Amino acid sequence: MLLSSGKLLSSSSTNIFHWMILILVVPLLWLQFVTSAFNGYGQEIPIPAGVKANYMIRNHLGFGTYKYGYDTGSGPNQSFRQEERAENGTVRGRWGYVDPYGSLRVTEYLADATGYHILRQRIIKPEFEEPIVKPPRPVENPPGPFIGPLPPFLSRPSPDDI
């Protein structure tokens, strides 16, 4: 029995209190579970192109393992990195950036007890459409240098005139 404001509460009112808590709390816990499942919590989801993002997951395959990455999105100095560490200490990942010419340069790597190893390097060039106006073809036998009329000579003022 509980004592509230100087009055003793009966066991029936205590049972009602417990039922009210059960009715209110359980649906809230269920709602939290359902929304976290639909929001992709604990699941890998694709990152939309052009969006800044980062993530970090620790101990997902056992103690000391991790998985992380980032993407700076679109724009100048765009880059990304993805890395994962296994239980045996081996780290595998890839990183990349967009160079000034618009090509995506990607390096895949492995780091283990023997050191850092580059597994693969790729350059993905942007696909451009054929230009509407083609540049002129170079002349095969260009004539000598163009020498046109020279501008009139301008005399320099003397120090006395200044």
Side-chain angles (χ1 to χ4, degrees):
M1 294 198 184
L2 297 173
L3 183 62
S4 174
S5 67
K7 297 181 181 178
L8 289 174
L9 296 176
S10 67
S11 62
S12 63
S13 63
T14 305
N15 287 339
I16 292 173
F17 177 73
H18 288 282
W19 277 106
M20 287 176 44
I21 289 176
L22 187 66
I23 290 172
L24 293 174
V25 172
V26 170
L28 290 175
L29 291 174
W30 180 81
L31 182 64
Q32 181 181 5
F33 171 75
V34 170
T35 56
S36 67
F38 287 115
N39 287 336
Y41 179 76
Q43 301 174 1
E44 289 188 28
I45 57 173
I47 298 173
V51 176
K52 293 181 181 182
N54 61 13
Y55 63 92
M56 174 72 170
I57 304 171
R58 295 182 183 165
N59 300 324
H60 69 294
L61 296 174
F63 182 74
T65 63
Y66 65 83
K67 189 175 196 178
Y68 88 97
Y70 67 85
D71 189 343
T72 61
S74 60
N77 304 321
Q78 180 181 354
S79 66
F80 75 93
R81 183 172 179 172
Q82 298 172 330
E83 185 173 290
E84 184 170 1
R85 183 177 190 262
E87 283 184 285
N88 64 0
T90 302
V91 177
R92 180 180 290 265
R94 64 186 184 154
W95 60 273
Y97 66 96
V98 176
D99 68 10
Y101 301 105
S103 297
L104 176 63
R105 296 179 175 265
V106 180
T107 301
E108 297 178 13
Y109 62 91
L110 173 74
D112 57 11
T114 62
Y116 179 84
H117 311 283
I118 295 177
L119 302 176
R120 182 176 174 192
Q121 288 184 319
R122 293 184 294 163
I123 299 175
I124 303 168
K125 296 185 178 183
E127 296 179 13
F128 295 113
E129 294 182 12
E130 190 69 28
I132 297 172
V133 178
K134 293 184 179 181
R137 292 182 303 162
V139 179
E140 293 185 16
N141 293 325
F146 174 75
I147 300 177
L150 296 174
F153 178 75
L154 298 175
S155 60
R156 176 181 274 173
S158 67
D160 298 334
D161 294 338
I162 296 179

